[in-house]
Amino acid sequence: MIESLLHASAVWRAGQCAQEAGATLPTGFAALDALLPGGGWPRGALTEVLLARQGIGELSLVMPALARLSSADDWIVWVAPPYVPYPAALAAAGLRLERLVVARPQAADAWWAAEQALRSGASKALLAWLRGADERRLRRLQLAAEGGAAWGVLYRHARAAGERSPAALRLLLEPAAGGLAVHILKRRGGPVSRPLVLALPGVAGC
Amino acid sequence: MLWLALHFPSLPLDVFARGTVTDAPLAVAEKQSGRSRIVACNAAAQGCGVGPGMSATAAQALADDLILCHRDRAAERASLEGLALWAGRFTPSVSLVPPAGLLLEIGGCLSLHHGLANLLRQARDGLAAMACAATMACAPTAHGAWLLAKAGSEKALRDRARLEAVLAPLPLAVLEQPPAVLEGLAMIGAETLGDCLRLPRDGMARRFGPSLVDELDRALGRVPEARDFYVPPAQFARSLETPAPVHDAEALQFAVRRLLPELEGFLVRHQAGIEALELVCRHERRDPAVIRVGFARPTREPARIELMLRETLGRTRLAAPVHAITLRATAVLPLAGVNRDLFRPAGEADGEWLIERLRIRLGREAVHGLATVAEHRPERAWRPSYQGAGEGEANRHRPLWLLPRPLRCTAERLKLESGPERIESGWWDGDDIARDYYVAVDPHGARLWVYCDRASGEWYVHGVFA
C-alpha cells in the first residue's frame, strides 16, 4: 500500500529535484552538475553568485560553461566588471574574443544594460556586477532572462545571502583548502545541506 | 508584360501634409490668373467649407486656423522622384509620368515578391507609411494601366483579351488630349472610351488628329510603346518640410519615418547598405543642426534603421523649432543579399544590433570588445576593441582580472605560490619596466598576481586569479 501511495503523483519526494528538459548548461564540474536540477546552469533564468572576497575562483567556476557557449558562436556580455577582463587569460580559458562584449555603464543605466543584454536573444550569457539590488530589479532580470532564453549570472556580496531573491539558483562561494567551497543556497527542488568543495583547474601551481 | 500604374491625386497636398500629423485645416494655394486659388485641401479644411477653386482669402475667412501653403512644384517633382526611389524596391523598371504618376513594369519580378496580391499589399503598406494617397491599377499595357489609375478604377487585369472591355466604361476626361479634342468628342455624343473605340478610325484621325488614335492604340496594345526608365541618383538626399514647426525630437521621428521607405528603395535598387546616416534639421535664423546615426556594419534592414533613428532621436534635444529636415545617406557601401543558414538562426547580426543599442544609450566608449596585443608589458598586452578582435596570443599563466593600475601592497602577509616570472621590457619608448611576478595567496584566501618592482623593491598587486 505504501508503494502505491509513493507512486501516486500526489506525493512529492524530497530526494528528487525538478527535471527540466534541455534547459540547462553543463557546468564542467561533474560533482556540481550532480547537485543542480537538470544537471547544469539554468538557462532562461538568473543565477546569483555571492562571495565575500574576489579572487577565490568565482570566474573559473563559470569558465567551462562560457567556453562551451563561445565555441558555439554565441555572444557573451559582461556588464560593469570590477576590473579588466584580461583577454590573454580569457582566450586561454577557451573564450572567443570576437563574441565578447564589455559594457561599462553609469550607475543609472547599469540595470537597463543588463536587462537589454538578457532580453535581446543575441547574447546567451551575461555576467553582471550590479549594485543596489532589490526584489523588483531582480525579478525584472529574471523575466528578461526567460524572455531571451539566456543564462544570467549576477555577482553580489555575501551579505545578501539572507535576502529573498527570485533567482532560480543561488550559490555562496568561500575559499577552502584544496579549492572552492560552493554552498547551494537555493535551487529548484530541495535545499542542499552540505557545501561542495570543487578543485578548480589551474589552482595547484601555474 | 504587366504594368502597375500609380496615380497620386493629392500630391500637391501630400508634399506638405506628410511632415506632421495635424488636425488643423491645411490647404495649398496657387496663383492662377493673378489671384491665389485653392488647389487642394485636407479633410479638416473641407469640414470647414474650404474647397478647390475658391480664393485663398475666402478660405482663410472660413477657417480661422487654416495653414495655407503655396504650391511647390519643385517639391512635387522631388517627391515624385522620391516615390520612384521607393518603387525601386519592387522593380528596376520605374517610369515617371509627371506631374503625379508612376509606372512600374512588374511582369518580371512577380515571383520575387511572391505573387501579385503580395506585391500590391506591400505597395499599399509602403504608401501608407509614406503618407501618400494613391490609386493603383494593373494592366498588360502601360497606358492602359495609367488610364485605369487616373480614372480611380483599381483593377488588376492580367488578361489582354479583356483589356478593351475593361477600358470601355472609362470617362473621356482621363485621356491625355487637349481640351479642344475633348470638347469635340463631347459634341458628337461620345462620353466613354467605349464610344470612342466604336468610331471609324479614319474619320477620327481626320477630325481629331492622329494623336487620339495613337493614344487609344497604345492603351489597347495595338502599337508598342517605348518608355524611359528612371535612373536613381548615386547619392541619397531627400528633404521634407513640416507645415508647423516641430519642437521636440521625438515628433521629428514621425517626419523621418516618411522618408525611410524611399531610403529602402534606394538601397535595394543599388544593392547597397549604409554605415552612417545624417539627419539635417533646419531652423529659422540658425545654422542647421546635424544628427548622426552610425551602424556597426552596413545594413539595409528597414526595421534596424528605424530602431536606431528612434533611439538616437529619443536622446536628442533640439535647440530650436525645426521647419524642414533632410535625410542623407553618407556612407553607402555595396551589400549583397544575405545568405541565411538553413539550420542555425542568424546570431551574429543580432549581437551587433545589441551592441549598437547599448552604445546609443551608454555612449560609444562604454561598450567595447577585447583584443590582445603582442606586448610583454601586461598592462599594454590588451586593448579595448571597437571593431573585431586583435592579434596576440592566449596565455594561461595570466590572471582573469587585471587591475587597471597596479596597487601598492605589503608582502609580509602574502604566501607566494609560484614564480618569479621576470618581465623586463619597454626600454624603447621610455616606459621600461623590470618586474618579478609571482602568484600569491592573501590571508583571506584570494589568489593574486603580484610583482616586485626591481628598481624600487616595492610590491604591487596587478591582477586577480578569479
Side-chain angles (χ1 to χ4, degrees):
Chain A
M1 188 178 114
I2 292 192
E3 279 87 43
S4 60
L5 270 180
L6 286 175
H7 284 297
S9 51
V11 178
W12 175 74
R13 302 182 76 175
Q16 287 169 339
C17 289
Q19 290 298 320
E20 266 135 23
T24 56
L25 198 58
T27 65
F29 300 97
L32 183 58
D33 280 345
L35 288 178
L36 293 179
W41 302 110
R43 292 185 99 150
L46 193 62
T47 297
E48 270 186 53
V49 176
L50 307 171
L51 59 165
R53 298 275 307 189
Q54 283 163 350
I56 53 177
E58 68 274 16
L59 281 188
S60 306
L61 185 65
V62 298
M63 275 301 151
L66 289 181
R68 178 190 289 258
L69 283 176
S70 203
S71 66
D73 237 13
D74 285 328
W75 288 81
I76 299 172
V77 181
W78 301 54
V79 172
Y83 310 111
V84 174
Y86 203 43
L90 293 171
L95 264 59
R96 285 182 58 197
L97 296 179
E98 306 90 68
R99 293 284 183 268
L100 211 111
V101 179
V102 174
R104 293 187 179 281
Q106 305 288 321
D109 295 324
W111 288 88
W112 174 87
E115 204 182 320
Q116 293 302 307
L118 282 174
R119 186 181 293 132
S120 78
S123 75
K124 289 288 179 266
L126 168 78
L127 301 180
W129 289 258
L130 302 172
R131 299 203 171 166
D134 58 31
E135 195 160 342
R136 194 181 66 92
R137 281 173 159 169
L138 291 170
R139 192 168 300 283
R140 285 188 67 138
L141 279 193
Q142 168 79 10
L143 288 173
E146 275 170 38
W151 170 43
V153 180
L154 183 62
Y155 285 95
R156 296 178 64 189
H157 195 275
R159 70 174 84 93
E163 293 173 11
R164 283 168 48 111
S165 161
L169 180 65
R170 297 187 88 208
L171 304 178
L172 175 66
L173 303 183
E174 276 173 351
L180 177 68
V182 178
H183 304 257
I184 302 183
L185 299 177
K186 175 186 174 187
R187 63 169 183 175
R188 287 177 179 149
V192 177
S193 51
R194 282 196 321 270
L196 177 68
V197 176
L198 293 176
L200 295 173
V203 168
C206 291
Chain B
M1 301 249 279
L2 185 63
W3 291 85
L4 171 65
L6 293 146
H7 176 54
F8 306 102
S10 61
L11 192 62
L13 182 67
D14 287 336
V15 165
F16 296 104
R18 290 167 77 183
T20 45
V21 66
T22 171
D23 296 328
L26 178 67
V28 176
E30 188 179 25
K31 255 192 163 25
Q32 289 168 0
S33 52
R35 298 186 62 176
S36 229
R37 292 200 178 271
I38 301 288
V39 169
C41 54
N42 69 350
Q46 279 171 358
C48 295
V50 177
M54 68 167 52
S55 76
T57 40
Q60 271 170 328
L62 282 171
D64 299 329
D65 47 351
L66 182 71
I67 305 173
L68 197 64
C69 304
H70 289 284
R71 184 171 185 176
D72 191 349
R73 286 188 189 267
E76 284 171 37
R77 173 88 193 178
S79 252
L80 193 61
E81 286 181 4
L83 287 162
L85 271 180
W86 162 75
R89 70 179 289 268
F90 297 113
T91 171
S93 319
V94 178
S95 182
L96 291 170
V97 186
L102 282 181
L103 276 167
L104 280 68
E105 206 288 298
I106 54 173
C109 63
L110 280 180
S111 58
L112 175 65
H113 295 286
H114 306 292
L116 182 61
N118 217 19
L119 193 152
L120 291 177
R121 189 162 15 95
Q122 286 178 29
R124 283 231 173 279
D125 293 342
L127 289 167
M130 292 189 290
C132 275
T135 45
M136 307 199 301
C138 283
T141 63
H143 200 68
W146 176 237
L147 291 177
L148 283 170
K150 266 179 82 172
S153 160
E154 295 201 312
K155 289 196 169 25
L157 180 66
R158 301 180 75 153
D159 188 4
R160 211 177 192 135
R162 292 185 44 223
L163 189 55
E164 192 166 338
V166 169
L167 287 176
L170 296 183
L172 286 178
V174 304
L175 285 174
E176 293 179 346
Q177 296 293 321
V181 170
L182 294 176
E183 279 171 20
L185 283 168
M187 275 208 301
I188 62 168
E191 284 171 356
T192 66
L193 281 185
D195 296 337
C196 263
L197 290 169
R198 279 193 287 274
L199 295 172
R201 281 176 66 95
D202 310 333
M204 238 189 342
R206 252 196 327 266
R207 183 148 175 193
F208 299 110
S211 74
L212 175 61
V213 181
D214 184 61
E215 183 172 353
L216 291 172
D217 282 344
R218 275 188 293 128
L220 288 173
R222 294 177 190 151
V223 166
E225 47 186 343
R227 301 209 69 91
D228 288 327
F229 289 126
Y230 174 67
V231 177
Q235 310 285 336
F236 182 88
R238 284 279 297 128
S239 301
L240 199 61
E241 275 199 31
T242 55
V246 174
H247 294 271
D248 65 294
E250 292 211 51
L252 261 193
Q253 229 180 72
F254 192 82
V256 175
R257 235 187 285 145
R258 302 293 191 217
L259 294 175
L260 288 181
E262 298 180 19
L263 177 63
E264 186 198 347
F266 170 84
L267 292 173
V268 171
R269 182 74 172 74
H270 284 286
Q271 288 290 294
I274 41 168
E275 249 185 3
L277 262 188
E278 266 182 12
L279 184 65
V280 182
C281 305
R282 286 200 287 284
H283 317 285
E284 305 221 355
R285 292 188 289 270
R286 283 176 77 113
D287 288 333
V290 180
I291 302 173
R292 282 189 185 83
V293 179
F295 298 90
R297 284 192 324 165
T299 177
R300 59 165 178 263
E301 289 168 49
R304 191 162 164 183
I305 298 175
E306 185 177 340
L307 183 71
M308 286 301 134
L309 272 169
R310 182 165 71 224
E311 303 222 341
T312 310
L313 283 175
R315 309 186 66 70
T316 313
R317 296 182 103 219
L318 293 175
V322 176
H323 68 89
I325 56 167
T326 302
L327 189 65
R328 266 209 299 258
T330 41
V332 178
L333 300 169
L335 181 71
V338 174
N339 282 328
R340 288 202 180 279
D341 196 326
L342 195 58
F343 299 106
R344 272 183 61 84
E348 181 177 316
D350 292 343
E352 309 234 356
W353 194 341
L354 172 67
I355 295 177
E356 284 168 10
R357 286 176 43 225
L358 288 176
R359 275 193 175 143
I360 284 188
R361 178 149 168 179
L362 307 179
R364 193 172 182 272
E365 269 57 38
V367 184
H368 56 83
L370 295 170
T372 51
V373 176
E375 251 281 358
H376 288 297
R377 290 167 284 184
E379 60 270 23
R380 295 193 184 208
W382 78 280
R383 62 175 173 84
S385 106
Y386 296 97
Q387 202 81 17
E391 343 71 56
E393 285 168 5
N395 189 336
R396 62 184 190 87
H397 299 292
R398 292 287 175 265
L400 284 171
W401 288 132
L402 188 79
L403 267 59
R405 262 181 289 279
L407 206 60
R408 277 290 304 274
C409 67
T410 50
E412 290 101 41
R413 308 205 308 162
L414 292 173
K415 189 163 75 95
L416 299 180
E417 274 192 356
S418 81
E421 182 189 349
R422 176 160 294 178
I423 300 186
E424 283 189 20
S425 182
W427 52 267
W428 51 88
D429 54 16
D431 238 346
D432 44 333
I433 64 167
R435 302 174 183 162
D436 282 339
Y437 278 86
Y438 299 85
V439 178
V441 180
D442 83 350
H444 302 275
R447 291 181 67 240
L448 307 171
W449 200 43
V450 302
Y451 70 81
C452 175
D453 189 310
R454 294 184 63 231
S456 61
E458 288 164 349
W459 286 82
Y460 293 84
V461 178
H462 205 180
V464 180
F465 284 92

